[in-house]
Amino acid sequence: MKNFILVVLGIIAVLLVVGGVVGHTFLNDVADAEDTSVNDVIDKVSNVASSESSDESSDDTSADDDGDSDVVSEEVKFNAQNGEGYYREVTYKDGGFRQYDTESGDLIGSSYDSDQDQLPSME
């Protein structure tokens, strides 16, 4: 009877060790997959923002006669108003701003009167 109890305790100990190793491996794989997807999203947003800034430099110059030299900052922000997605906000020396959708590159917001006819309809 004593040997039977020792065998059962040995089996339980082996199961605990194997379960711990499997659990640890699984959690590391899940953490790596999450890090990869987060990094992929960050890379994609960065690539879109950098490619759009070079594409739109001529657009900024034509809309404002002062061009990209007046850009104070560019940030990618979460679109809380829409509840999803991201937009790139460009702020200029004169205090104005333009907001571009990071996926399509379309102008979605602006403080400039000259841009108002290019914005999407709110209806």
Side-chain angles (χ1 to χ4, degrees):
M1 183 71 171
K2 197 174 193 182
N3 288 338
F4 179 72
I5 292 174
L6 289 175
V7 170
V8 170
L9 288 176
I11 291 173
I12 290 173
V14 169
L15 288 175
L16 286 174
V17 169
V18 170
V21 169
V22 169
H24 180 65
T25 303
F26 176 75
L27 289 177
N28 280 341
D29 288 346
V30 168
D32 288 344
E34 286 178 4
D35 288 344
T36 302
S37 61
V38 168
N39 288 335
D40 288 346
V41 169
I42 291 171
D43 290 342
K44 182 176 179 182
V45 169
S46 297
N47 289 341
V48 168
S50 65
S51 68
E52 287 177 1
S53 65
S54 63
D55 290 345
E56 292 165 356
S57 62
S58 61
D59 293 344
D60 291 342
T61 304
S62 63
D64 284 351
D65 293 319
D66 28 26
D68 276 344
S69 63
D70 287 341
V71 172
V72 174
S73 68
E74 289 189 39
E75 309 181 57
V76 175
K77 297 181 177 181
F78 178 70
N79 191 346
Q81 184 176 5
N82 194 29
E84 63 183 0
Y86 292 87
Y87 65 93
R88 183 173 56 95
E89 184 172 87
V90 181
T91 306
Y92 299 94
K93 284 183 186 176
D94 64 1
F97 66 88
R98 288 191 176 104
Q99 298 168 331
Y100 300 94
D101 182 41
T102 56
E103 290 182 13
S104 67
D106 294 338
L107 183 67
I108 59 172
S110 176
S111 63
Y112 295 104
D113 290 334
S114 61
D115 291 339
Q116 298 306 307
D117 59 338
Q118 299 173 16
L119 296 175
S121 174
M122 297 302 288
E123 297 174 3

